[in-house]
Amino acid sequence: MPVFSIVDCNSFFVSCERLLNPSLKGKPVIVLSNNDGMVVARSNEAKALGIQWDAYHLIKDKIRYYDIQVYSSNYPLYSEISGRVMAILKQFAPRMEVYSCDEAFLDLTGIENLDTYGQLIRETVLQHCGIPVSVGIAKTKTLAKLANRIAKKSPKVKNGVLNLVDSHYLDDALKRVEAKDVWGVGRRWAERLRGHSILTAYDLAHADPKWLLKTFNVVLTRTALELRGQFCLSLQLDPPLSKSIMHSMSFGKLVEDYASLRQVISTYAAESSAKMRREQLACGSVHVFLQTNRFIQEPQYFPGITLPLPYPTDHAAEIIQIALSALDAIFQDGYRYNKGGVMLGQLIPASERQTSLLDSYNRDKVVGLMQALDGINRQFGPGTLRYGSQGFRKAAWQMRQNHLSSQNNQGLMTEHQQVKRICELGQSTALIRAL
DNA sequence: TCTGGGGTCCTAGGACCC
DNA sequence: TCTGGGGTCCTAGGACCC
């Protein structure tokens, strides 16, 4: 019988900032999304003060009043720390699925004394990475998520580990969790379920699967079966190849002129193509979209277009060129744009890329050029080396990040220096030496 | 001043073919 | 007078996740 565990970092982004600045411990802290737009992570102290997933500008008074510490998100830092946490977890379970930057499913089948093992996982991650985690253990992934949720919230659960395998507490746990909080049940489905008097995970587990299949779909039916302990969802051991890769971002300021949008789309195309080359893929189509700001009263326009490439490519210049043709096709004067994006589709492994008779360039040269471009940007930061169409000066459309930890600390450290510092901190620990 | 970014899967319906 | 039926592929949209 399979046993799954999900290990989830508590308030991950906040925990990362605390690692960098230990004086934040015990204080209310929040981390903001790109553009400092919304709250994406909250410490328990901030949650206790009633901070939700709010728009930052709507809660500024509250933040001042309670002296809440505010940070812009710093993804290179979080990604570095995430890698360290995952490396530790892998030692506890070679069969592991990295589910997101702050969570992983582990296969604990055959492990005896699951409670102790869970505690050991938690203590080891805390000791060697400085990140607190919660551990849920159960017979299915969905039940493990539910256990994890209770472990994180309930003060009765000791040390953030809850094991529901053969537990007499299982029914009680299912009754305590609302249907809307079950993994796989979102707001919409929860509303419809409520109409049928299905309010809790327990109700969903005991709903008739045939009826669920007829009334909803196979996804929700699987979720219900998993809640009964019937295994439907297996571990995804090797991450599947991406089917699309996107880069999109709200602008620092509303943009109406074509020239700026050319810089934006060139930059987003370059970013998404770099992300694609990191996964060693090539794309067969490029989708470009623009959006106006739906929160303000003025003419709205949400255009988008997908253009095919004559042959799959991972060459930044070609992708930028086609993205700019797409922009030409959708751009309309007279609107104030708030967001744009470039999505690469029809992805295939770059190695399988068929060269076309129409290829006008030397493939080896392009590969070398892209490697040099990516290498320099990896070392010195994204956008260090760029195409002319991306623009050279700091422009108004670029992202706001007014609360980066580097600026909060001493105003000197760049993100990359921070990552380096975290590496150095980590290297002083016993386990990293052992690695 | 001002409301995230990046994905996946499933389904319904239209186009097209024989 | 009358306008099939079945299959496949593609796309858009809706649902979900972090």
Side-chain angles (χ1 to χ4, degrees), chain A residues 221-369:
Chain A
T221 310
R222 275 200 291 253
T223 296
L225 290 174
E226 284 242 317
L227 287 175
R228 296 181 180 202
Q230 195 172 320
F231 157 77
C232 303
L233 305 171
S234 44
L235 282 192
Q236 194 107 62
L237 295 177
D238 303 302
L241 292 182
S242 299
K243 297 186 170 160
S244 65
I245 287 175
M246 178 154 77
H247 185 82
S248 89
M249 192 94 68
S250 304
F251 309 147
K253 220 176 167 178
L254 293 172
V255 173
E256 38 193 335
D257 66 297
Y258 175 72
S260 297
L261 286 173
R262 275 183 68 88
Q263 292 187 0
V264 170
I265 295 303
S266 299
T267 303
Y268 292 5
E271 287 285 331
S272 52
S273 80
K275 210 184 294 179
M276 180 174 70
R277 286 190 297 277
R278 242 172 277 148
E279 297 188 32
Q280 297 175 35
L281 298 171
C283 63
S285 70
V286 176
H287 179 82
V288 173
F289 67 89
L290 293 172
Q291 292 179 5
T292 48
N293 186 346
R294 63 183 192 282
F295 293 101
I296 53 182
Q297 289 287 326
E298 60 179 51
Q300 300 287 318
Y301 182 44
F302 299 83
I305 189 175
T306 305
L307 293 184
L309 285 150
Y311 43 82
T313 184
D314 60 358
H315 186 184
E318 290 183 316
I319 291 165
I320 290 174
Q321 197 177 19
I322 195 100
L324 288 176
S325 321
L327 173 65
D328 287 344
I330 59 174
F331 173 76
Q332 294 239 12
D333 251 327
Y335 293 99
R336 300 201 300 158
Y337 298 95
N338 149 71
K339 181 175 178 176
V342 173
M343 186 162 84
L344 309 179
Q346 294 182 35
L347 301 178
I348 58 160
S351 55
E352 288 171 23
R353 181 186 171 284
Q354 304 244 330
T355 40
S356 156
L357 291 175
L358 301 172
D359 261 353
S360 53
Y361 58 82
N362 177 330
R363 181 66 203 156
D364 293 339
K365 249 189 194 166
V366 170
V367 170
L369 182 63

Side-chain angles (χ1 to χ4, degrees), chain A residues 37-291:
Chain A
M38 301 180 69
V39 178
V40 292
R42 307 160 291 159
S43 70
N44 284 335
E45 297 81 3
K47 286 176 194 169
L49 294 173
I51 302 289
Q52 309 282 339
W53 262 58
D54 300 304
Y56 174 52
H57 72 101
L58 293 178
I59 57 167
K60 279 192 173 168
D61 287 344
K62 205 167 185 175
I63 285 167
R64 248 190 309 272
Y65 183 78
Y66 289 113
D67 193 23
I68 296 170
Q69 308 296 306
V70 179
Y71 287 85
S72 299
S73 39
N74 186 345
Y75 291 105
L77 175 71
Y78 310 148
S79 152
E80 169 62 33
I81 295 171
S82 168
R84 286 170 185 278
V85 172
M86 296 304 163
I88 303 260
L89 294 180
K90 185 102 185 164
Q91 298 186 321
F92 285 93
R95 284 172 47 84
M96 170 172 100
E97 172 185 343
V98 177
Y99 182 62
S100 73
C101 71
D102 71 331
E103 305 173 61
F105 286 102
L106 311 184
D107 180 357
L108 299 189
T109 308
I111 302 281
E112 297 187 8
N113 215 333
L114 288 165
D115 299 75
T116 313
Y117 203 70
Q119 293 292 347
L120 187 62
I121 292 175
R122 187 183 140 83
E123 284 158 19
T124 309
V125 174
L126 186 61
Q127 188 183 345
H128 295 290
C129 299
I131 300 289
V133 299
S134 301
V135 182
I137 305 172
K139 288 180 185 173
T140 66
K141 287 167 95 174
T142 307
L143 280 173
K145 287 285 279 190
L146 185 130
N148 185 290
R149 186 185 168 81
I150 297 174
K152 193 165 287 184
K153 296 203 162 219
S154 168
K156 274 194 268 177
V157 174
K158 285 178 302 185
N159 301 322
V161 178
L162 180 59
N163 170 20
L164 289 181
V165 176
D166 298 328
S167 163
H168 58 270
Y169 175 64
L170 179 59
D171 275 356
D172 220 28
L174 288 168
K175 286 177 186 164
R176 280 185 45 168
V177 174
E178 288 182 59
K180 73 173 170 57
D181 295 325
V182 170
W183 183 51
V185 180
R187 195 170 47 86
R188 294 303 176 93
W189 284 358
E191 274 166 28
R192 282 183 59 196
L193 286 168
R194 195 163 35 235
H196 297 281
S197 303
I198 294 172
L199 306 178
T200 65
Y202 184 86
D203 298 336
L204 183 55
H206 290 83
D208 175 18
K210 282 194 199 122
W211 174 80
L212 282 172
L213 189 59
K214 204 173 60 190
T215 317
F216 293 86
N217 66 7
V218 60
V219 180
L220 188 68
T221 310
R222 275 200 291 253
T223 296
L225 290 174
E226 284 242 317
L227 287 175
R228 296 181 180 202
Q230 195 172 320
F231 157 77
C232 303
L233 305 171
S234 44
L235 282 192
Q236 194 107 62
L237 295 177
D238 303 302
L241 292 182
S242 299
K243 297 186 170 160
S244 65
I245 287 175
M246 178 154 77
H247 185 82
S248 89
M249 192 94 68
S250 304
F251 309 147
K253 220 176 167 178
L254 293 172
V255 173
E256 38 193 335
D257 66 297
Y258 175 72
S260 297
L261 286 173
R262 275 183 68 88
Q263 292 187 0
V264 170
I265 295 303
S266 299
T267 303
Y268 292 5
E271 287 285 331
S272 52
S273 80
K275 210 184 294 179
M276 180 174 70
R277 286 190 297 277
R278 242 172 277 148
E279 297 188 32
Q280 297 175 35
L281 298 171
C283 63
S285 70
V286 176
H287 179 82
V288 173
F289 67 89
L290 293 172
Q291 292 179 5

